[in-house]
Amino acid sequence: TQEKDIGYEYFFSTTMRIAAIVALCTVVSTTATTAGKVPLSGFVSTAFGNKIAASTQSSDNEQNIISCASSSSVDDGVETFTTNSNNLQRRKFLSSASAAFSSALISPLLPAPSLADDSDVTAAPPSSSPPIIVIPSGDVKKLFNEGRALEAQGNILAAQRLYSKVTKIAPTFIYGWSSLGNTLVAQGQLPAADESYTKAVSLCRDNNRNYESSGGKNARRCDDLYLLLLNRGSVRLNNQMQREALEDLSLADSLRGRPDAVVLQNLARAQEINGYYSSSDRSYNTAISMTANEVNPFWLRASMVKYQLKDEGGAMDLLRRVENRFPEAPEVRAAYATILWGKGGEDNEESARKKFLQIPDRQRKKYGDGEFLEGVVAWPPRMKEGVLSLAKAVGDVQ
């Protein structure tokens, strides 16, 4: 379909950005975003905002980055759902009760919390405040379960309606807000999703303060804060809030307490987009070491960061593996040609021209457009400079 073609066209840049949305539990595909909008899946430079619906679509060429988190009872589990409309790989995370991003690009959604049989498990709040609910019961539990079932079936709109109702009936239920955020992300409603995740983050933090002040006697601890921050950070990375995204993702990494590929992919993208290339390179390296058995789209972003740091050898080593895995992707061909062009020398430059001209005209000419390079695929400065020079050499730029 046309949507799939678009996603594949910007596959690599999109995947990384989408990874930031790991907390979403829906698979974010690789599509390019407009300026300031970071892709939810595919490579880091994708366009999440233009077609967030793409995040619910998956193909053999797409890297699912979003995880689904629902409760502290689920830590690293990976769960695969098959829906009637399409196949969505959803990794369970704690960001939301039913959905969470897989390792982090479509952002991981929090796994659903455990459900009480008799009474809510609540934090001991100040006397004037309603109790914070970690585990629902009664009507809230019933509605929440219905929403989770609908979400698992791919019926996002119906799930959103139920989650919205849950937040009205039980406004202090942490996972009601995080799950609502997940469904909003799947529809591209990023500002509203940010608000829902922020509410869940605030409730989780308040709950844990109550837990600590009472010595654990009057509350159940919310152990999913890192996933909630991962989800919110992923959304912010795709919603022109790069610095806030970096803060959330750095804290998520710290709270995680150990290397996590999804967190690191999103953190690396946030570091990259904020210009911290050395830190980004280290985060990418660790994420790659954890996913070395299978080439992922975010490796393209990692190779670009290495090139920005003038590690041409490391950049080309990664890019060769990416090209072997995704030989037809226009962005991969463009990046490969750009790095060859940067090596200089008659043979390298001729090879770069040939590789670049293998890209169909309509797609290739976009790499001669500075606005496309800046706002859609969001290439690092050295890569942008190189590809514009190459585009001029082949006549795409006058």
Side-chain angles (χ1 to χ4, degrees):
T1 65
Q2 185 176 358
E3 283 190 18
K4 183 176 293 186
D5 290 342
I6 292 174
Y8 188 68
E9 180 176 350
Y10 312 126
F11 178 63
F12 293 89
S13 297
T14 332
T15 301
M16 196 53 215
R17 297 186 178 182
I18 301 281
I21 297 184
V22 191
L24 302 181
C25 190
T26 46
V27 174
V28 176
S29 77
T30 59
T31 49
T33 64
T34 54
K37 294 183 179 179
V38 180
L40 294 181
S41 83
F43 285 93
V44 180
S45 351
T46 27
F48 172 84
N50 291 344
K51 273 198 179 292
I52 190 120
S55 69
T56 63
Q57 298 179 345
S58 172
S59 73
D60 293 339
N61 294 323
E62 295 174 353
Q63 173 66 26
N64 302 333
I65 300 174
I66 291 182
S67 304
C68 300
S70 18
S71 86
S72 56
S73 62
V74 180
D75 185 19
D76 299 323
V78 177
E79 189 169 35
T80 300
F81 296 96
T82 300
T83 67
N84 294 331
S85 58
N86 54 18
N87 293 328
L88 302 180
Q89 288 187 345
R90 302 176 176 185
R91 177 178 176 185
K92 279 193 147 186
F93 272 92
L94 303 177
S95 308
S96 99
S98 69
F101 195 7
S102 94
S103 190
L105 237 339
I106 285 182
S107 152
L109 300 182
L110 294 175
S114 304
L115 302 178
D117 292 328
D118 301 314
S119 60
D120 294 350
V121 176
T122 62
S127 57
S128 60
S129 302
I132 297 173
I133 302 172
V134 179
I135 299 178
S137 65
D139 291 340
V140 174
K141 172 184 173 181
K142 179 181 179 181
L143 284 173
F144 184 70
N145 275 339
E146 290 176 1
R148 292 171 60 190
L150 289 168
E151 189 174 6
Q153 295 167 10
N155 194 340
I156 302 300
L157 287 175
Q160 178 190 338
R161 287 193 290 270
L162 286 182
Y163 290 145
S164 181
K165 189 172 183 179
V166 166
T167 61
K168 289 179 173 63
I169 296 174
T172 61
F173 176 37
I174 298 170
Y175 299 106
W177 289 104
S178 63
S179 294
L180 177 60
N182 293 341
T183 58
L184 290 169
V185 169
Q187 298 174 69
Q189 300 180 41
L190 301 190
D194 185 282
E195 292 180 7
S196 292
Y197 286 136
T198 296
K199 183 67 175 179
V201 167
S202 178
L203 287 170
C204 184
R205 284 174 166 162
D206 288 346
N207 178 82
N208 288 348
R209 280 193 288 269
N210 293 334
Y211 176 87
E212 292 167 4
S213 64
S214 68
K217 296 180 180 179
N218 299 318
R220 178 188 177 99
R221 184 173 180 82
C222 169
D223 293 322
D224 304 332
L225 182 57
Y226 93 90
L227 284 173
L228 294 169
L229 290 167
L230 174 59
N231 288 348
R232 189 176 71 174
S234 299
V235 166
R236 290 178 169 182
L237 190 59
N238 288 274
N239 198 34
Q240 300 182 348
M241 301 175 69
Q242 289 88 350
R243 289 200 173 276
E244 293 87 347
L246 180 58
E247 292 176 3
D248 278 355
L249 295 167
S250 296
L251 184 53
D253 181 53
S254 176
L255 290 172
R256 182 61 170 140
R258 58 185 175 83
D260 183 292
V262 174
V263 175
L264 287 169
Q265 290 172 38
N266 287 283
L267 175 59
R269 178 54 181 165
Q271 291 165 333
E272 175 194 345
I273 208 170
N274 280 283
Y276 300 113
Y277 295 107
S278 295
S279 297
S280 177
D281 185 49
R282 289 191 292 271
S283 296
Y284 276 134
N285 286 343
T286 304
I288 287 172
S289 71
M290 300 176 72
T291 60
N293 291 333
E294 182 178 357
V295 176
N296 288 291
F298 79 88
W299 289 25
L300 177 62
R301 302 304 311 190
S303 71
M304 292 182 182
V305 167
K306 289 186 181 298
Y307 189 73
Q308 179 66 29
L309 294 170
K310 298 185 178 181
D311 179 7
E312 288 86 355
M316 184 56 78
D317 287 344
L318 273 181
L319 195 47
R320 285 195 184 100
R321 295 187 64 183
V322 173
E323 189 194 31
N324 287 336
R325 175 69 176 82
F326 308 102
E328 304 299 324
E331 189 176 6
V332 176
R333 287 177 170 174
Y336 197 100
T338 299
I339 294 179
L340 278 177
W341 182 256
K343 286 185 174 183
E346 186 176 343
D347 290 343
N348 286 327
E349 290 180 355
E350 181 60 24
S351 296
R353 287 190 183 91
K354 290 180 179 179
K355 177 66 69 174
F356 196 57
L357 290 172
Q358 290 176 2
I359 304 172
D361 289 354
R362 180 184 64 84
Q363 297 169 347
R364 187 189 68 248
K365 290 180 179 179
K366 293 179 181 179
Y367 291 91
D369 180 353
E371 292 185 0
F372 172 82
L373 294 172
E374 179 70 26
V376 178
V377 291
W379 279 16
R382 193 174 178 215
M383 288 293 296
K384 287 186 289 188
E385 180 182 351
V387 76
L388 286 172
S389 174
L390 177 55
K392 185 176 182 179
V394 301
D396 288 344
V397 177
Q398 300 302 320

